[in-house]
Amino acid sequence: MKTKKAIIFDLDGVIVDTAKYHYLAWRKIANDLGFDFSKAENEHLKGVSRVKSLEFLLKKGNITLTEKEKNKLLVSKNEHYLSLISHMDESELLDGIKTLLPALHQENIPFALGSASKNARRILDSLQLSPLFTAIVDGTDVTKAKPDPEVFVIAARRMCYAPKNCIVIEDSKAGIEAANSVGMTSIGIGNDQVLQAADYVLDSTRQLTLAFIKNLL
Ligand code: B16
Ligand code: MG
């Protein structure tokens, strides 16, 4: 079967439930700097690169640091994040993903990863999911962070699909904006107020079934 469209999955908050660990690691950085950081504020960091996330946090705390101090915090945040995910197993896969990815693969529906995370390959490898993907594009492949569409455009190119023939599945406002800006179909996972610019919004990955996706192809 030849499909008309290809899929691009975000990682954190779509495939794995790691968004909560990013939040905990950033909250610790904020707390150590002397201010609080709420879950609502964390919505602004979803899909946003590590460097841009720190910039957001420092602006919120009205703190100015040298490049050296910033780099120290970036390393510290990532070390904490990696320790939080070090025991990650299949139980961290979001609902339905464990069956959806092999089912798409079985149906010859191509799919790629389009993640801002520099830890993406490590996570997919540890869950033994990498071989299922036609292409993997992550934070190490891009120069511009979401909402710039670079990560999705590269993923589309690597799958040999035109952007307009790609469907992006995202949990972040920045990611939906990125997909929409190059004419990709966007599916938001999460709060429809936050993700209102998406073509479709689903409460959770539970609703992201093979039947739902096949209807869009
Ligand atoms: P790292 P995604 C994004 O991944 C996360 O949503 C965001 O919270 C994180 O800051 C960013 O990756 C960078 O991650 O620090 O691991 O390089 O949602 O685009 O898969
Ligand atoms: Mg995400």
Side-chain angles (χ1 to χ4, degrees):
M1 185 188 76
K2 197 125 176 74
T3 56
K4 284 182 278 174
K5 290 195 175 174
I7 321 289
I8 303 174
F9 284 92
D10 173 48
L11 179 70
D12 296 307
V14 169
I15 291 179
V16 278
D17 196 11
T18 42
K20 61 188 183 204
Y21 298 127
H22 278 295
Y23 169 60
L24 289 176
W26 283 125
R27 196 180 63 183
K28 182 168 184 334
I29 295 287
N31 292 167
D32 289 350
L33 289 169
F35 60 96
D36 210 3
F37 179 55
S38 71
K39 266 200 159 170
E41 288 166 322
N42 187 55
E43 286 299 324
H44 295 281
L45 302 196
K46 286 189 177 171
V48 174
S49 72
R50 206 179 302 170
V51 171
K52 293 256 183 242
S53 298
L54 179 63
E55 280 169 15
F56 179 93
L57 223 62
L58 294 177
K59 197 168 171 206
K60 188 210 156 183
N62 203 13
I63 290 171
T64 310
L65 297 177
T66 63
E67 283 309 303
K68 204 174 160 195
E69 287 165 332
K70 283 192 219 169
N71 282 332
K72 222 174 134 195
L73 288 182
L74 290 171
V75 170
S76 156
K77 185 270 171 177
N78 199 46
E79 281 174 353
H80 186 198
Y81 173 70
L82 288 179
S83 77
L84 290 170
I85 65 164
S86 63
H87 301 296
M88 197 168 68
D89 59 20
E90 281 188 353
S91 66
E92 299 286 357
L93 285 173
L94 284 156
D95 289 341
I97 294 294
K98 191 179 167 188
T99 49
L100 178 66
L101 297 185
L104 289 170
H105 193 250
Q106 179 84 20
E107 297 266 342
N108 289 323
I109 299 169
F111 58 92
L113 190 83
S115 167
S117 176
K118 292 185 173 170
N119 297 302
R121 282 184 172 82
R122 174 199 293 247
I123 291 172
L124 289 185
D125 284 350
S126 75
L127 296 168
Q128 289 153 352
L129 293 174
S130 303
L132 296 176
F133 285 79
T134 303
I136 295 176
V137 186
D138 69 11
T140 64
D141 298 300
V142 296
T143 53
K144 290 172 240 147
K146 299 171 190 174
D148 189 283
E150 185 183 17
V151 69
F152 297 147
V153 170
I154 297 175
R157 195 185 308 133
R158 289 209 190 145
M159 290 193 289
C160 301
Y161 275 75
K164 68 173 172 34
N165 289 328
C166 291
I167 300 169
V168 169
I169 306 170
E170 254 291 348
D171 70 320
S172 75
K173 206 169 173 254
I176 295 295
E177 212 180 294
N180 291 349
S181 73
V182 283
M184 296 178 171
T185 303
S186 54
I187 303 177
I189 305 291
N191 184 323
D192 60 358
Q193 302 283 49
V194 177
L195 305 171
Q196 53 181 288
D199 294 313
Y200 304 86
V201 181
L202 306 177
D203 283 342
S204 96
T205 48
R206 246 190 311 274
Q207 293 159 279
L208 191 66
T209 60
L210 182 63
F212 177 84
I213 289 179
K214 280 175 111 177
N215 256 329
L216 302 176
L217 300 178

